[in-house]
Amino acid sequence: MDRLVFLVAAGLAHGAVLALFAQSLVIVWRANRVINFAQAALAVVAVYAAFAVTAASGSWWLGAAAGIVVGGLLGAAAERGPMRLVPTDTPLPGIIVAIGLVMILQAGLAIAFGPEYQPVRAPLPERPFVLAGIPVLSPYDLFVLVVAGLVMAALALGFTRTSLGLQLRAAAFAPETARLLGVRVPRMITLGWVLSLATAALAGLLLVPTELGLHPHALDALFVQAFAVAVIGGLDSPAGALVAGLLVGVLVSLVSGYLVAAAAPLAVLGLLTLVLLVRPGGLFSAAKERAA
C-alpha cells in the first residue's frame, strides 16, 4: 500500500510537468493551428539561459525568471521569423522548418556548453515527507504541483475571462472575422507563441532538477510524452491537457514502479491508441468546440 501511495504521489508531480508542457503545445495550436515540433529545443535553450543566470547570480529564482523571459522571446522570434515565412496551406513546410530549428539549436548548445549532462539542483529539498510511515511528496514535488496548478489556472482565466483572451481565441478560430472587428491577428498569434514558449520553459525548469541534469536533448522525452498528453486530452482543450497530463504521469509512475521503466512508453502508446480509437479528437474534444 505504501508503495502505491508513493508511486501515485510521484506520478502526480511528474504529471503536473507533463500537463504544463502539453498546455504549451495546446496554446500554440490554438493560436496558430500548428504543432511546434521545435518546442523542446526552444525550451531547452531557455533552460540553459536560466542555468547560466543561476550560476552567475547564485539564485535559482532569478535564473528561473530569466529562463521564462528568454522562452517568451524565443517564441516571438520563432513565430516572427522562420515559422511566419513558411506556407501555411500545408503543414509539411512548417514541420521541416521546425526539425531544422531543432538540429541547429541542439548542435549550437552542444558546441557552446558541451554534450555532457550539467547537474542542476532543485531550489527545495527532494526528500519525501513521511506520513504514517509512508513516504509521499517531497517539498519540491509540492512546489511543482502548486506552480503548475497556479499557472494553468491563470492561463485558463486569462483565455476565458479577459478581453485579451477573447481576442486570442477570436484570432485563432475566426481570423478573418477578428480582423473585421479590429483585432490585430498577427500580434495575437505572436502573443500566443510567447505564452506557449514561456510555459514550456517553465515546465523544463521544473523537470530538469528531477532528471539526470541539463543536456541539449534533456526535454526530448518530455516533448514526446507531452505531445501524447495533448492528443489524448484534445489538442484544443486546456482542461484535457491537465487531466491527461495527470493521468499519464500516474500511469508512467505505476508502470515504472511495478514493472520496468522501459515499459512506460509502451503503456503511454497503448493509452494513446485506445483514446484515438474511441475518441479520435481526444477525451475533451467536444467540450472545446462549445468553449470556442
Side-chain angles (χ1 to χ4, degrees):
M1 184 61 185
D2 55 343
R3 188 180 187 188
L4 176 63
V5 173
F6 174 74
L7 290 174
V8 170
L12 288 175
H14 182 64
V17 177
L18 279 178
L20 200 58
F21 201 91
Q23 198 77 263
S24 75
L25 295 173
V26 169
I27 292 171
V28 80
W29 172 258
R30 288 168 66 98
N32 211 180
R33 315 311 286 177
V34 299
I35 299 295
N36 180 22
F37 286 91
Q39 194 86 341
L42 290 165
V44 85
V45 172
V47 179
Y48 266 101
F51 177 76
V53 172
T54 300
S57 66
S59 170
W60 185 90
W61 308 99
L62 188 59
I68 293 169
V69 171
V70 170
L73 293 175
L74 286 172
E79 194 281 325
R80 291 278 175 155
M83 302 308 292
R84 182 171 290 192
L85 298 176
V86 298
T88 57
D89 53 341
T90 171
L92 186 59
I95 294 173
I96 293 173
V97 168
I99 293 173
L101 266 179
V102 171
M103 297 174 69
I104 291 170
L105 292 173
Q106 291 182 339
L109 288 173
I111 292 170
F113 295 94
E116 301 83 11
Y117 279 92
Q118 309 280 345
V120 178
R121 293 180 57 187
L124 295 173
E126 296 184 84
R127 182 183 295 275
F129 295 116
V130 178
L131 297 177
I134 301 175
V136 289
L137 296 170
S138 70
Y140 184 67
D141 290 334
L142 286 173
F143 170 71
V144 169
L145 281 169
V146 170
V147 169
L150 289 175
V151 170
M152 284 187 280
L155 288 173
L157 289 174
F159 272 104
T160 58
R161 305 293 182 187
T162 66
S163 171
L164 182 61
L166 179 62
Q167 293 182 59
L168 282 165
R169 292 160 57 203
F173 288 100
E176 295 304 325
T177 305
R179 283 191 183 92
L180 292 174
L181 293 174
V183 176
R184 297 181 176 180
V185 173
R187 183 175 294 182
M188 292 299 107
I189 293 174
T190 303
L191 180 58
W193 277 73
V194 169
L195 290 173
S196 171
L197 262 300
T199 305
L202 176 60
L205 285 164
L206 295 174
L207 176 75
V208 167
T210 65
E211 300 290 327
L212 295 175
L214 186 54
H215 183 271
H217 297 273
L219 302 185
D220 289 359
L222 176 64
F223 171 79
V224 173
Q225 289 190 349
F227 180 61
V229 165
V231 174
I232 290 170
L235 273 171
D236 266 319
S237 174
L242 172 61
V243 174
L246 297 177
L247 178 64
V248 170
V250 172
L251 175 66
V252 168
S253 180
L254 291 177
V255 171
S256 301
Y258 284 110
L259 299 175
V260 292
L266 295 178
V268 177
L269 180 61
L271 177 62
L272 175 63
T273 304
L274 178 63
V275 170
L276 290 178
L277 287 174
V278 178
R279 290 182 66 86
L283 294 174
F284 288 73
S285 56
K288 60 89 182 171
E289 287 172 2
R290 288 194 296 270

